[in-house]
Amino acid sequence: MRIQNPSNQPAKTVPSLLLSSILLVPLAGIVEPSAGSLMSSTAMADSEWHRTVPVVNDGEIAELIEGLGSESYATRVRCRQRLSRIGLAAFDALRQARHHPDSEIAIAARKLTSGVEVPWSVSTDSATVQEILSEYGSRSVLARRQRIGQLVALPTMDSFPALVRLTRYEAEPTLSRFAAMALLAQPVRETLALQSEWTTDDATKRGKSPEDDWLGLSAHDRSLMAIHLQQVFANDTEFSGQWMIHYAKELESGRFEADGWSELIDVMESSWEIDVDASGQEVARGKIAPGAIISGDELFRLTWLNAERARVLGQEDDASRFFTQHIDVIPPRTRELTDAALWAIDHKLFDVITAAHAKHRSLFEKSPSLLYASAEALLESEQPELATERTKQALALNPVVNSNDAGEPQLHPVLLENHAEAHLRIAADLIDRGLSDWAQAEYRKLIDELPLHNIESSTARIELAEHLAELLQPAEVVALLQPLVERIEKDDDFRHKLMAHDFDYQSLRSHLDFQAGLDLANRDDKAAASERMQTAFSMDPENIDILIAMYRLDWNDEWKEDVVSKIESVLAEIDEDIEETRQTFRETGNGRPGRQTAIRDMLLANFYNQYAWLVSNTEGDYDKALKRSIESLEMSPGSEALLDTCGRCYFATGDLPAAIVTQRKAVEMTPNSPPLRRQLKMFENAWLDANPGKTLQELPVVELPIATASSQERTDRQRRLGVVPPDGPLSFLDN
């Protein structure tokens, strides 16, 4: 595809008295029942770290805590010092004392839990984990959260003991719960990444033994993890600890256990009514510490994460039932409702949409985005009439002109402008979701109800024209752009107004002529088509798609020779741009990492892609084009436009399986792009024609030398392009 040129604190020696008294059973010698294998060295080392030597009397700890509120200053000091020396053995009692009715005891307990010297990394942690946790305890809450996020990016078994440590002993409750959710999410994210490997084979099954059937974790690893969690959190009454105990049960069963999570959610929802003065009876009934609080956003993220875990495990019905049962945890805000709705639609969990609409009807009826999400679910559920009613309801929201009825309230011009901009955003979002008819209705509303010289109306024409061009409807594009271009050419004030909003008349005029040429070619008027295309290319010579269309126009030999000459000239210019870019950044020290390197790579990736796209669609050195396309993806991994080009290059070289796999990846990233889907269909049909009697399921296994992008890299790229991608159930890890 053508893209435009871009003008822990260090590990300390901890006295044995600092070791926890809750872990009385050493894990080092535990043997897995099924495999008979010893625990991995990392998990064993972490278990050894938790082993206890002397046992501290719980009654003594309770007396010391009460002594923190003594009238005697000497007694208070003595109790603080003794509890500090005991350290982790008193951690649980001190954590509960943070909510003691005696404010002096509560304050002292908070200071002591924050000051307990936890050796966040141990000697058998990997060097990477030790580096991440270096000086962890001295960092701010935000910095500690970021460190936890870095641990999640590591393989599950590498960072599991460290995340368990953080979940258990992080004094800040929100960070403890964040680490716990990270433990739940980590294998899910690894599985999703594994499923996107560059191969025609099933990436989740290749090279794995039959026991590797639960989020990429073998039965052996799951057994070790479950034992570790059960012992570490045996006496933990915090929410995060209760999650880990239930997670251990899932690791043993190899299934998402919805009922247990539902019970935990019911308890957590009841905690919103428990305050710091909760009685012992209330605490016992809730099975939580006094004053335990979890935010609504945290509960929503946990519920959504668990629904995603069930889905990835193949338990789609459980995922739908679980999320629907707890639909009330979705915050009554449009953003969260929309994100959850789009996730449910993507995975065909339509009951979730129905439940969300019923629960938050008033919000749905005020939000076009939510109404369209509801309509999409109805459409997928084969209820087109009801879906149409919802889209009409959505389209009628946010009026862009005032009513002629004198009895109707008149809206401020700024509000009307904001409404028009909202319709543009909604239309673009509907196109991304493959809902072309609904998007066109949004654009047509602005075009029909607003004057031609209105900025939002002009924008609607241009954006709709771009979409119709992708749908190969050049005549409709001409009908949209012709009045706009004519008005620009007659009205200097209008032209200057558009220029102030970054409209480019030259490229707009070129695009009109290009589409007019394509329309004439469709009507077999090749002479007129060639003239309009030449005019279009002369006004925008950087648009190589025009040159490609000219190459494909079978006019005459003279025409073909002239077009080939233009192609050679453009390729030579691209080579010059590449060399100039290399030289420029070589002279300014491009070897240094940082912004200059990023700019250089962005420029080179674009030039490589331009070269590869032009050659692969016309003629030239196909092998060189493929090499440059792969190099562009090394510099900018995961770009659907660059992947589209690479697929075309493989097709040009005759490697149809590689072309199909590459194009499938591009379509996977932008599933509703008409050009990308057309090109994939062309590649697949070509392979089927070359292999009569075979199906696409028999496509040979191929693995490609193409870099893949992480989800964060893809999200960052979307944001740079001005796209705000919807949050997913794992997005909390990257925030």
Side-chain angles (χ1 to χ4, degrees):
M1 177 181 288
R2 178 186 70 89
I3 56 179
Q4 290 288 352
N5 284 333
S7 4
N8 171 8
Q9 220 157 342
K12 299 177 180 178
T13 302
V14 182
S16 59
L17 283 175
L18 288 180
L19 299 173
S20 173
S21 63
I22 65 171
L23 300 173
L24 301 177
V25 183
L27 301 183
I30 288 180
V31 178
E32 183 197 4
S34 59
S37 301
L38 291 177
M39 177 173 286
S40 67
S41 60
T42 301
M44 180 168 60
D46 193 55
S47 302
E48 290 285 352
W49 175 75
H50 279 297
R51 290 178 67 184
T52 182
V53 181
V55 176
V56 178
N57 185 284
D58 290 338
E60 179 193 1
I61 293 176
E63 290 178 5
L64 291 170
I65 289 175
E66 290 300 321
L68 296 174
S70 172
E71 294 181 359
S72 169
Y73 173 76
T75 300
R76 296 198 301 272
V77 171
R78 177 179 59 79
C79 290
R80 280 200 303 269
Q81 291 175 344
R82 175 61 177 149
L83 286 167
S84 181
R85 286 196 300 271
I86 292 173
L88 290 179
F91 187 84
D92 290 323
L94 283 169
R95 186 160 58 179
Q96 292 186 15
R98 289 158 64 101
H99 306 288
H100 197 283
D102 188 323
S103 60
E104 189 167 356
I105 294 177
I107 292 170
R110 290 189 181 99
K111 290 181 179 179
L112 283 166
T113 51
S114 300
V116 171
E117 292 188 355
V118 179
W120 296 110
S121 66
V122 296
S123 60
T124 48
D125 283 338
S126 69
T128 302
V129 170
Q130 292 188 47
E131 182 179 354
I132 291 172
L133 293 178
S134 175
E135 300 183 4
Y136 174 86
S138 64
R139 299 181 185 277
S140 67
V141 170
L142 177 59
R144 300 207 301 275
R145 182 184 175 95
Q146 291 171 341
R147 295 302 171 109
I148 295 173
Q150 292 174 32
L151 288 174
V152 181
L154 303 177
T156 298
M157 296 306 289
D158 286 359
S159 58
F160 174 78
L163 286 170
V164 168
R165 230 173 284 146
L166 292 163
T167 302
R168 183 66 174 88
Y169 292 113
E170 170 58 69
E172 172 54 50
T174 58
L175 291 182
S176 172
R177 294 193 288 266
F178 179 68
M181 282 194 275
L183 279 165
L184 294 170
Q186 189 175 29
V188 176
R189 190 155 78 169
E190 284 192 38
T191 298
L192 294 174
L194 190 63
Q195 290 172 350
S196 64
E197 285 184 352
W198 289 100
T199 174
T200 52
D201 200 5
D202 184 350
T204 64
K205 296 180 180 178
R206 290 183 304 109
K208 292 180 175 290
S209 64
E211 64 181 7
D212 287 319
D213 56 1
W214 200 86
L215 299 179
L217 298 170
S218 68
H220 172 73
D221 286 344
R222 298 201 311 271
S223 177
L224 298 180
M225 293 166 70
I227 292 170
H228 196 54
L229 292 173
Q230 288 164 349
Q231 297 208 16
V232 171
F233 296 99
N235 297 326
D236 193 350
T237 59
E238 294 293 311
F239 289 145
S240 53
Q242 297 304 304
W243 302 347
M244 293 299 97
I245 291 296
H246 187 64
Y247 184 37
K249 294 177 183 177
E250 292 183 328
L251 289 165
E252 291 178 327
S253 69
R255 287 183 55 80
F256 172 74
E257 304 287 351
D259 290 344
W261 283 111
S262 292
E263 291 176 7
L264 287 170
I265 288 174
D266 289 343
V267 170
M268 287 183 285
E269 286 188 294
S270 72
S271 79
W272 293 342
E273 301 174 0
I274 296 178
D275 58 27
V276 295
D277 297 320
S279 68
Q281 185 179 9
E282 290 173 319
V283 173
R285 186 167 59 248
K287 298 180 182 178
I288 55 174
I293 294 296
I294 181 171
S295 73
D297 286 342
E298 286 178 299
L299 192 55
F300 165 56
R301 287 294 174 186
L302 177 68
T303 305
W304 196 9
L305 167 60
N306 277 315
E308 173 74 345
R309 292 174 61 238
R311 186 195 68 79
V312 174
L313 282 166
Q315 299 173 232
E316 286 85 359
D317 290 344
D318 287 332
S320 182
R321 275 196 302 270
F322 177 75
F323 209 1
T324 300
Q325 180 182 353
H326 301 290
I327 203 71
D328 57 312
V329 305
I330 303 180
R333 296 191 294 264
T334 301
R335 173 73 184 192
E336 284 83 353
L337 282 167
T338 303
D339 291 341
L342 294 179
W343 170 84
I345 289 170
D346 286 344
H347 303 299
K348 302 188 183 304
L349 306 179
F350 303 123
D351 288 346
V352 174
I353 310 295
T354 303
H357 194 166
K359 177 67 179 178
H360 301 285
R361 183 174 299 277
S362 62
L363 278 175
F364 269 74
E365 293 178 351
K366 295 175 183 177
S367 167
S369 297
L370 289 173
L371 283 171
Y372 279 120
S374 179
E376 188 175 354
L378 290 167
L379 192 65
E380 294 289 342
S381 302
E382 299 182 356
Q383 301 180 67
E385 295 83 6
L386 189 52
T388 299
E389 289 181 18
R390 294 270 166 85
T391 61
K392 290 179 179 178
Q393 188 179 355
L395 188 62
L397 292 175
N398 297 333
V400 296
V401 294
N402 277 312
S403 170
N404 292 325
D405 188 343
E408 290 290 325
Q410 298 295 291
L411 302 179
H412 193 280
V414 173
L415 182 58
L416 294 173
E417 183 180 340
N418 291 338
H419 285 176
E421 291 172 351
H423 282 285
L424 289 172
R425 289 194 300 271
I426 291 166
D429 179 61
L430 291 171
I431 287 176
D432 288 341
R433 288 157 55 188
L435 301 169
S436 178
D437 290 345
W438 299 351
Q440 290 188 47
E442 287 282 343
Y443 283 128
R444 294 288 183 187
K445 178 183 180 72
L446 299 180
I447 294 169
D448 295 342
E449 296 186 14
L450 295 174
L452 179 63
H453 62 267
N454 177 275
I455 291 297
E456 285 72 31
S457 174
S458 300
T459 303
R461 283 180 180 272
I462 293 171
E463 291 185 4
L464 178 56
E466 290 174 352
H467 177 56
L468 293 175
E470 288 189 332
L471 295 176
L472 304 182
Q473 298 176 15
E476 288 80 357
V477 174
V478 172
L480 279 169
L481 295 185
Q482 187 74 45
L484 184 61
V485 170
E486 289 177 354
R487 176 64 182 264
I488 293 173
E489 291 173 344
K490 295 177 181 178
D491 189 338
D492 288 340
D493 289 339
F494 181 47
R495 181 194 294 219
H496 294 149
K497 183 180 178 181
L498 291 179
M499 289 173 61
H501 287 80
D502 296 327
F503 285 80
D504 184 349
Y505 164 74
Q506 196 95 345
S507 62
L508 189 61
R509 174 80 240 191
S510 172
H511 190 53
L512 171 61
D513 287 327
F514 177 33
Q515 294 297 316
L518 292 175
D519 181 43
L520 290 166
N522 289 342
R523 291 189 268 135
D524 208 29
D525 190 345
K526 295 180 180 178
S530 64
E531 183 177 348
R532 293 299 292 267
M533 287 184 182
Q534 281 182 319
T535 301
F537 187 67
S538 67
M539 297 193 72
D540 189 5
E542 289 189 352
N543 188 346
I544 58 178
D545 282 336
I546 301 173
L547 198 52
I548 292 169
M550 292 168 66
Y551 179 84
R552 293 173 180 169
L553 181 65
D554 189 15
W555 178 215
N556 53 43
D557 291 341
E558 182 181 355
W559 168 261
K560 195 60 170 282
E561 290 176 6
D562 181 60
V563 172
V564 170
S565 176
K566 285 183 170 64
I567 291 172
E568 292 172 348
S569 177
V570 170
L571 293 175
E573 290 178 6
I574 294 175
D575 281 334
E576 291 177 5
D577 290 335
I578 290 171
E579 185 55 37
E580 182 179 343
T581 300
R582 288 172 175 164
Q583 185 61 36
T584 298
F585 283 89
R586 188 179 298 121
E587 291 174 353
T588 57
N590 70 337
R592 297 195 304 271
R595 180 173 173 79
Q596 284 194 343
T597 301
I599 294 173
R600 179 204 61 190
D601 288 351
M602 179 182 66
L603 291 170
L604 287 178
N606 194 37
F607 291 140
Y608 287 161
N609 180 74
Q610 293 273 349
Y611 183 97
W613 182 247
L614 180 55
V615 169
S616 63
N617 278 279
T618 56
E619 60 184 55
D621 189 337
Y622 293 149
D623 290 331
K624 180 179 178 180
L626 175 60
K627 181 175 181 294
R628 284 192 167 178
S629 180
I630 292 173
E631 288 176 344
S632 74
L633 280 163
E634 290 172 350
M635 296 174 179
S636 184
S639 165
E640 66 273 16
L642 303 189
L643 286 169
D644 184 53
T645 297
C646 193
R648 186 77 196 197
C649 289
Y650 275 118
F651 179 78
T653 61
D655 192 343
L656 294 178
I660 292 170
V661 173
T662 307
Q663 195 67 20
R664 283 177 176 175
K665 287 300 172 184
V667 171
E668 181 183 303
M669 295 185 67
T670 313
N672 299 308
S673 168
L676 267 60
R677 298 187 71 87
R678 271 198 308 273
Q679 182 153 281
L680 174 59
K681 187 68 174 178
M682 182 180 71
F683 296 167
E684 291 176 338
N685 288 340
W687 187 84
L688 291 172
D689 291 343
N691 297 273
K694 290 192 175 183
T695 67
L696 291 172
Q697 285 68 36
E698 299 173 87
L699 200 68
V701 175
V702 295
E703 295 190 35
L704 306 176
I706 300 175
T708 59
S710 68
S711 59
Q712 184 61 42
E713 287 175 317
R714 291 194 294 269
T715 298
D716 290 344
R717 180 177 293 108
Q718 286 179 298
R719 294 190 189 282
R720 288 198 299 272
L721 293 173
V723 178
V724 180
D727 279 348
L730 305 184
S731 61
F732 74 95
L733 297 172
D734 304 316
N735 294 336

